[in-house]
Amino acid sequence: MGKVETREPEAGEPQEWRVEGVRDTGLVANWRILVITAYLGMSLFEYGFDKGAIAGFQAMPGFLQVFGYQTPDGKWAIEPGPQRIITSFMTVGALIGALSTGHLGAHIGRRHCLMIACALLIVAVAIMITTTSFGVLYFARILCGLGNGIVMNFAFVLLQETAPPGLRGLCFGMATFWITFGTTMGMVANNGTAGIMSRLAYQIPLYVCLPIPAMLIFTLPFFHESPRWLLHHHRPEEALKSLRFYRGGAYDEVAVLQEFEEMKAVAAREAEASPSWKDAFEMFKGTNLRRTIICVGVTSANSGVGAMFILSFGTYFFTIAQIGDPFMWTVITSCLGVVGLILSWFLVQRVGHRRLILAGSAICSLSMLTIALLYTVPNLSAKKAGVGLVVACSFYLFGFNLGLESYSFLTSGELPAQHLRAYTLGLSIGFSFILAWLCTFTTPYFINPTELNWGPKYAWIWFVSGLIATVFIYFMLPDVKGRSLEEIDEMFRNNVPIRGFKTYVCQEIQETRERAALHALGMDKMGAQEDTTAGKHVEKA
């Protein structure tokens, strides 16, 4: 249990002990946390599926027969008003859900919050399947967003608080795979049912959303709560038991106790003994303000690069581009996004998620520039522009999933103080949803032939927005690859410059680990019995 090394001192030099816990960072040793990641990631499937499916519903005759109208030439269409509301009200609900998670998380455990959210999703989907009323459909869209907002926050927070530092990026990439996978499955389901000339065309895809949240409701009660949340609510025995579960097979007892002591030190300092709604205001004070600005800025880039423009209206653009089956092209481009996400799993361990977020933002910005140019340059044939649109959208989704979709939310969960994590992540996701809502609500005005009729030229706006996001990420986002949440906390409290995070030595954390190792090995008692003149020093190997 643990490693202890001694070195014979030279003349006048104190005896030196070197103590360290054993931490295996290999994937095989950490199989348990990888399985847990896949399990928690499933909760994000419905959010991704919704993004992929709802956009396609608006081009389905079976859906438009209920919520649209028939044009004089016999085609089915939808009014701009309902088009905006159906797409954007989910985002409004998600905003409400995200902003409420801080208060929920302060009083209710992470897993219980996930159970509540899953119940909301089941009710929302059931309503969407059965209703033929616009008002009821709008309510269901808000309810769906509320559930997704809560799910996203607490699935990410629970992963943040349980994944080992060296695997945190990979775990997030694996979890967000379910968003991308869900989006692709939504498009695939639409492609398979689009030709059905009845309500089943959109009801069948919606049925796909029900099994996962139902399964989670019945299994989450047997799941281990976050050890950090338990510590902050004065349940140290349960917290240590939970940490041993999450580190089982990868950490020895010394390493577990070292990490536990780090958590205890932060919990004692923050003393979240009486959670209050007033805690939210701590996000805007002192060093926490700096963290909040970074978290909100980076997470907002997820929407600020125009993701909802591509995801929510991609099928529509492929339709007006007249380059073949639009549903088929949405599936193909989405699959390239999955390729980008899976590639990120192999890169994040090597280059860190800061570089991937930066690369993803840059690729998205350049893709938007390409789309805008294709439909601005004169004398370019419609067919060539359409082909270029498909290629640009493919690169966009590749870059988006390579960095922003996977890791922007990771940043907003790992940088805040422990007792503000749910608040800050909720605010960050909420602000991102505001941008997404603005995009989905206003886009029909810009692209609809009966309104401004900009079409793909609308991408000029998102090119500029993406460029601003890329610059912000480059200058503001620190590199915290391989750092524990407690190390990140110490660096922010000590006002370490952004460029200094990578090399900074966290003295407080080192001392905490040394004390925990000595205590675990019984060397603290041995040291107390030694002659103090001999001296003793402990450092991490």
Side-chain angles (χ1 to χ4, degrees):
M1 183 174 64
K3 296 181 181 179
V4 183
E5 301 175 4
T6 62
R7 182 176 61 81
E8 291 298 327
E10 298 180 1
E13 184 180 1
Q15 176 76 31
E16 181 181 278
W17 299 88
R18 299 170 63 86
V19 183
E20 64 172 332
V22 176
R23 297 172 175 83
D24 191 334
T25 59
L27 298 182
V28 175
N30 287 276
W31 66 269
R32 181 175 295 179
I33 196 66
L34 298 180
V35 172
I36 291 169
T37 296
Y39 170 76
L40 289 175
M42 286 192 295
S43 64
L44 304 172
F45 175 84
E46 202 279 337
Y47 173 68
F49 191 94
D50 189 278
K51 290 197 298 182
I54 290 299
F57 288 177
Q58 298 172 36
M60 284 183 179
F63 180 82
L64 298 175
Q65 287 172 7
V66 181
F67 298 105
Y69 66 95
Q70 194 168 22
T71 62
D73 60 358
K75 295 182 179 179
W76 291 95
I78 187 170
E79 295 284 353
Q83 185 182 33
R84 290 192 301 270
I85 295 174
I86 291 171
T87 305
S88 65
F89 265 31
M90 197 281 284
T91 308
V92 173
L95 170 63
I96 298 171
L99 294 180
S100 68
T101 52
H103 189 67
L104 281 173
H107 296 274
I108 306 175
R110 313 310 195 197
R111 59 197 178 102
H112 289 107
C113 289
L114 284 173
M115 292 169 62
I116 293 172
C118 288
L120 291 174
L121 290 176
I122 291 174
V123 172
V125 172
I127 293 175
M128 286 190 287
I129 289 173
T130 57
T131 189
T132 58
S133 164
F134 272 113
V136 177
L137 177 64
Y138 297 159
F139 170 75
R141 295 300 293 153
I142 291 179
L143 200 63
C144 181
L146 182 64
N148 276 311
I150 297 174
V151 160
M152 287 187 67
N153 196 325
F154 287 107
F156 288 144
V157 166
L158 191 51
L159 270 180
Q160 293 279 9
E161 295 178 349
T162 56
L167 294 176
R168 198 165 55 237
L170 176 61
C171 288
F172 253 71
M174 292 178 60
T176 53
F177 166 80
W178 285 93
I179 299 179
T180 306
F181 177 67
T183 301
T184 303
M185 289 298 100
M187 295 175 179
V188 170
N190 283 355
N191 188 48
T193 64
I196 300 176
M197 300 300 291
S198 71
R199 294 176 62 200
L200 288 175
Y202 68 91
Q203 287 176 327
I204 292 173
L206 287 172
Y207 279 117
V208 177
C209 298
L210 293 175
I212 289 179
M215 182 272 292
L216 288 171
I217 287 177
F218 289 105
T219 56
L220 278 169
F222 306 100
F223 198 72
H224 283 261
E225 185 55 80
S226 159
R228 288 179 169 90
W229 186 88
L230 291 168
L231 267 178
H232 277 74
H233 289 76
H234 309 288
R235 295 156 68 177
E237 294 82 8
E238 294 177 63
L240 182 56
K241 180 180 178 181
S242 175
L243 184 62
R244 285 186 176 125
F245 169 77
Y246 285 112
R247 299 293 180 266
Y251 283 32
D252 72 352
E253 184 66 11
V254 174
V256 169
L257 291 177
Q258 284 180 317
E259 186 171 4
F260 186 64
E261 287 300 319
E262 294 176 39
M263 296 179 187
K264 283 176 59 180
V266 172
R269 182 172 54 252
E270 295 182 350
E272 194 185 24
S274 301
S276 168
W277 62 270
K278 296 180 181 179
D279 289 342
F281 294 102
E282 295 295 320
M283 291 187 294
F284 309 105
K285 298 179 181 179
T287 59
N288 289 325
L289 176 60
R290 180 189 178 196
R291 308 187 200 201
T292 302
I293 291 173
I294 297 173
C295 291
V296 171
V298 174
T299 306
S300 296
N302 193 282
S303 298
V305 295
M308 297 306 291
F309 171 54
I310 300 295
L311 295 172
S312 296
F313 300 94
T315 306
Y316 173 81
F317 280 120
F318 292 150
T319 300
I320 64 176
Q322 298 180 355
I323 51 173
D325 185 353
F327 290 97
M328 178 191 70
W329 285 117
T330 55
V331 172
I332 292 173
T333 55
S334 182
C335 287
L336 289 174
V338 174
V339 172
L341 175 59
I342 295 176
L343 178 62
S344 75
W345 298 353
F346 299 95
L347 295 177
V348 69
Q349 298 295 96
R350 295 170 174 80
V351 304
H353 52 273
R354 179 187 181 274
R355 293 181 179 177
L356 290 181
I357 294 173
L358 186 61
S361 181
I363 292 172
C364 289
S365 300
L366 292 174
S367 298
M368 284 295 187
L369 175 62
T370 303
I371 294 172
L373 287 173
L374 285 170
Y375 286 86
T376 303
V377 174
N379 302 322
L380 186 65
S381 68
K383 183 176 181 180
K384 289 181 179 179
V387 173
L389 174 67
V390 171
V391 174
C393 286
S394 300
F395 273 103
Y396 180 95
L397 291 175
F398 174 84
F400 182 69
N401 288 284
L402 178 72
L404 288 166
E405 178 84 328
S406 306
Y407 304 110
S408 59
F409 297 116
L410 169 60
T411 294
S412 296
E414 65 185 357
L415 301 190
Q418 170 62 29
H419 70 296
L420 298 176
R421 182 161 293 115
Y423 286 102
T424 308
L425 183 56
L427 176 67
S428 301
I429 293 177
F431 202 82
S432 176
F433 280 139
I434 290 176
L435 293 179
W437 175 80
L438 284 173
C439 176
T440 55
F441 190 80
T442 60
T443 294
Y445 280 116
F446 288 92
I447 67 175
N448 200 294
T450 61
E451 302 291 341
L452 292 180
N453 196 26
W454 283 17
K457 293 180 183 179
Y458 182 49
W460 279 116
I461 292 177
W462 296 111
F463 162 63
V464 176
S465 177
L467 190 61
I468 294 172
T470 303
V471 172
F472 178 89
I473 293 167
Y474 180 80
F475 287 105
M476 295 296 294
L477 181 61
D479 187 348
V480 293
K481 176 188 174 186
R483 298 283 193 169
S484 70
L485 300 181
E486 287 70 29
E487 286 179 301
I488 295 171
D489 180 70
E490 180 180 333
M491 288 189 283
F492 272 107
R493 284 188 291 105
N494 292 336
N495 288 309
V496 177
I498 295 297
R499 295 294 178 253
F501 271 64
K502 192 172 184 178
T503 58
Y504 186 79
V505 178
C506 296
Q507 296 294 338
E508 296 176 26
I509 298 301
Q510 282 195 346
E511 292 169 2
T512 301
R513 290 174 181 173
E514 291 161 3
R515 290 194 302 270
L518 287 177
H519 178 72
L521 297 174
M523 294 176 62
D524 52 345
K525 297 178 181 179
M526 180 179 66
Q529 298 173 355
E530 292 181 350
D531 185 354
T532 56
T533 60
K536 177 166 67 73
H537 176 70
V538 181
E539 68 177 33
K540 180 181 175 183

